[in-house]
Structure formats: structure tokens, C-alpha cells
Amino acid sequence: MDWSTFIPEYVRSFEAYTPSKPDDILMAEYGCSQLHRLNNNENPLGPPTLAAEIIRRFPPEKAALYPSGDSYSLRRTLSERFGLSPDGFLVGNGSCEVITAVIKAFCAAGDNIVTADRTFAVYEWVASFSGVDARLVPLVDFTFDDEGILSRIDGRTKILFLCNPNNPTGTWWDRDRMHRFLERVDGRCIVVVDEAYREYVSDPDFPDGYELMRHFENVVVFRTFSKMYALAGLRIGYLAASEAISQFIRKTVVAYSVNRPAQEAAQAALLDDGRHIENTRALVAEGKAFLKRLAAELDFPCQAGEGNWVMMKTPVNDTLLYRKLMKQGFMIRTMTGFRFPGWIRITIREMEVMRAFAEALRRIFAGERESVR
């Protein structure tokens, strides 16, 4: 049986994402005794104190019970925290699930979405394997191009995806630029503002997506508990929209997809995050300054905006450099898949890890330069 004849062309032609193997397998393959993951922008400080306590004390007998099918209590906590209707929040198994829900709700065959060519790739992936055209606009100076995006809108454009700040460049639109853009969109399509890394930004000109929603009904805001709140292993993200819009997205959200520990830990994180955010920002600021100095020392171009990572362009193929660093116990993100060939992205961790990474990078490039002589 040729099963491929059952599969739509847009699925057959899609190249599946391959996640990394478990640490113990990778350490055996690369011959390293420890592995520091600097590839997924995880927060090394772990969850806020109260959320960590919820996880630690989770009663095993509760594992036999289904969770709330629509994260009822968490949505009320979000409502109290941000002053929006609880029915405007939809919670998913990570942000990737709410991305899928929005595309399913608004797009049909022949429709299109518009986003940047070098941004969080899941917008493009979900559209592509759903038979929806993904129109990609090149970044300008590492930043989303508002004029370019506006020029690609037509009568079949249903969603614009803006990643603010952008992963992987860390660039962002300020409040005035975002308002001007939304006024020119003029309600012609849904505008998703993905704020996965907003808690890392302290600049007062950074726009608040929830404030945008009060002026523009077509705005949908994504946030996550995976990054600043360090609950990536529990998979929980959410969106906020007006009730007029969320009622349609709700039809495509999978009920019961968010487990009970994730819902309870996320609630706790919202109730107790003051020092956690402050401490994380301090760690990131110190690590980012260190990596920028390292890039300057090695004469590597560097891109370091907002968020808990730094990008560097090295003279070595990024996949080859990945293998060399793995042998020394460091996993970085190669950036060819983000359409940044030759670049790597490094997640900021504790200073002792950053210093050890710097020494590994210096050893590799000392060897590279020696081999050229």
C-alpha cells in the first residue's frame, strides 16, 4: 500500500522537525561527561518558589484524576492579575498549541498568514502543514518590517504574526510603532502579538499587548509559562483575546490538553513572581554583557536584543561548531534552520557555565586559527 497517496501534498512536502535526543544518549555519542543545554532559552533559576513547592508536593493520587478541561481556575487567576475577562483567556499545551488553534479557527485552504522570514518558526510550520500559505517578509536590520508586512496583505490574509521581542534577534517594536501599524491594518485581519519573552523587557516604551487589545479588537496576545516562569517541562502557554474573538478560537482548542500540575504551578507562579523576575533579569543582564565582551574578543558579529540569549556569527559552519561544542559538553542552537547560516544562539545561564562555555569556544577557535597557519 502506498500510504503517501492518502496524504495531502502540503503534508508530504513538509519536513518534520527532529527534537534532540536525551542527555544521556547525547553524552555517550559525543563522549562528554556533562552536558550544558544552551539551546532552548530555558531559565536556569527554575520556577518561582511557590510554583516549585506545588510541583514538589503534588499528590500522586491526583494523577488519576482528569484536570480542569478548560483551565477554569487558572483563567480566573489570569483575569484577576491582568484585568481581562476570564472568557478571553484560552490555555494550551504550550504556545505551540494556541498557535495551531488560532490558525485552525481563522484559516481555510487558499488563505494566507504573514510573518517575518526569520522569527519563531512554528507560525510558518503550522500554516504550511495545514495547507495555508505562509508569506514571509525579510527582516530589516534584524527587525520586523512593518511596511513589508502591510504590503503583503490581501483579501485572503487572515492572520499577521508579530513576535515582540523577536526570537531569535531580540528586536522589538515600541508602543508608538505598534499603534501606527495596527491603525494601518485597520481591522482587516487578526494580528497576533507573541509576547513569549515580554517579562525579560523592562523598557517603559515596550508595548503591553493587553493594552493594545483595549484599543484594537483584532489583537490576540500570546504569552507562556515556559520562559521566565521556567515551567517548560510542564508545557503550558495561553492566549488572550476579546470575547468576540476568543469564542471562535475556543472551538478549535483541545479540551483537557493541559495537565493538572501545569495548571496549579502556573497559578502559583502568577501569585508569587516578584523576586523571581528581578533575579532572572539580573542573571541575564550579567550573562549578556559577558557574552558580548566574548564576541568582541573573538571578533565575531553579535546580535543581543531583549530575551535570555545572544546570537553570534562565527567563521565556522554552525553545524560543525555544534559538534565541536558538544564534545566539550555544550549544546548551542544552530541557526541555519532560522535562515541565519553561520550563526549560533546561546542561552544565558549562570556565570560559571558562561565562563566554561567561553573557554570551550576559545579552545576551538585557537585550534581553528592554528590549523589555518
Side-chain angles (χ1 to χ4, degrees), residues 123-143:
Y123 320 133
E124 176 189 351
W125 292 349
V126 175
S128 297
F129 63 59
S130 301
V132 175
D133 182 25
R135 297 182 172 182
L136 307 181
V137 177
L139 299 179
V140 174
D141 294 332
F142 295 99
T143 305

Side-chain angles (χ1 to χ4, degrees), residues 192-372:
V192 169
V193 182
D194 187 342
E195 299 186 333
Y197 293 92
R198 72 156 290 112
E199 292 90 355
Y200 287 92
V201 187
S202 57
D203 193 306
D205 283 336
F206 187 80
D208 180 347
Y210 297 157
E211 182 63 26
L212 296 173
M213 283 171 49
R214 293 184 174 93
H215 294 277
F216 304 96
E217 192 177 41
N218 58 325
V219 169
V220 175
V221 178
F222 289 174
R223 293 185 184 176
T224 181
F225 291 97
S226 294
K227 302 306 179 185
M228 174 60 80
Y229 294 109
L231 297 176
L234 297 182
R235 308 303 298 128
I236 182 165
Y238 62 102
L239 66 78
S242 68
E243 291 187 56
I245 287 176
S246 65
Q247 64 174 317
F248 297 113
I249 305 174
R250 189 182 308 280
K251 295 173 184 285
T252 65
V253 169
V254 179
Y256 298 99
S257 69
V258 182
N259 65 68
R260 185 184 294 267
Q263 293 183 35
E264 294 183 8
Q267 269 188 277
L270 288 171
L271 296 171
D272 170 34
D273 66 3
R275 294 287 298 175
H276 178 79
I277 290 177
E278 181 182 337
N279 292 341
T280 302
R281 284 179 175 174
L283 178 144
V284 168
E286 184 178 16
K288 192 173 293 182
F290 177 82
L291 289 176
K292 289 167 73 173
R293 291 195 300 273
L294 176 66
E297 169 195 323
L298 296 172
D299 199 23
F300 295 163
C302 174
Q303 172 61 26
E306 297 291 351
N308 60 335
W309 69 87
V310 168
M311 286 174 59
M312 293 183 193
K313 189 175 193 316
T314 81
V316 172
N317 174 280
D318 50 345
T319 300
L320 176 60
L321 180 57
Y322 169 91
R323 293 176 183 146
K324 289 175 178 282
L325 284 166
M326 284 294 290
K327 290 178 180 175
Q328 302 201 37
F330 297 94
M331 179 188 288
I332 47 83
R333 175 69 71 184
T334 59
M335 296 304 293
T336 295
F338 277 82
R339 301 187 175 94
F340 279 103
W343 288 77
I344 61 173
R345 190 188 67 191
I346 308 130
T347 299
I348 294 167
R349 294 202 48 169
E350 307 91 325
M351 282 308 300
E352 62 187 67
V353 177
M354 293 290 89
R355 291 190 187 96
F357 168 77
E359 286 307 308
L361 204 60
R362 290 184 183 110
R363 281 194 297 273
I364 289 169
F365 283 94
E368 288 290 328
R369 285 159 183 158
E370 189 66 30
S371 67
V372 171

